[in-house]
Amino acid sequence: MPAIFTIKGEIYTGKNLTQVGTSAIAPYTGITGATIAQLTFERSAIRYYLNGDPPTSASGHLIQAGDILTLMGGDVISGFRTISPNDTGTIQASFGN
């Protein structure tokens, strides 16, 4: 049975560790049933878009290692695309509803 924990009234039951490289990826397209995701960025800065467009090393929202991003809504979670300009990014994710 997966671990279950609550933050601010949301119930989180899923988790994921994603390595991010120099090619844009869509790490959460297979996540079903989640309506919220809490992402923590580790090791290096990455770039991302939420609308399904692939970011590049020079375009997309820039987020630094140590920052936290909350995604709300299944469409936003599945539309999340990311890239690491330095090929060293890691994302810790927790999913809930």
Side-chain angles (χ1 to χ4, degrees):
M1 183 171 159
I4 298 174
F5 57 98
T6 303
I7 298 175
K8 295 184 181 178
E10 305 293 340
I11 298 175
Y12 290 79
T13 57
K15 63 182 179 178
N16 178 282
L17 173 66
T18 302
Q19 301 293 324
V20 181
T22 56
S23 296
I25 61 170
Y28 310 128
T29 55
I31 302 295
T32 58
T35 57
I36 190 166
Q38 176 112 11
L39 310 181
T40 304
F41 300 89
E42 302 174 353
R43 296 181 56 195
S44 74
I46 69 161
R47 291 190 177 275
Y48 70 92
Y49 282 124
L50 300 176
N51 64 352
D53 288 345
T56 69
S57 61
S59 70
H61 303 285
L62 183 64
I63 194 162
Q64 300 295 325
D67 288 348
I68 297 171
L69 178 66
T70 300
L71 306 179
M72 299 187 75
D75 290 343
V76 174
I77 293 169
S78 65
F80 180 80
R81 302 293 186 270
T82 187
I83 191 170
S84 176
N86 300 319
D87 195 27
T88 58
T90 303
I91 304 171
Q92 292 277 356
S94 295
F95 301 95
N97 52 37

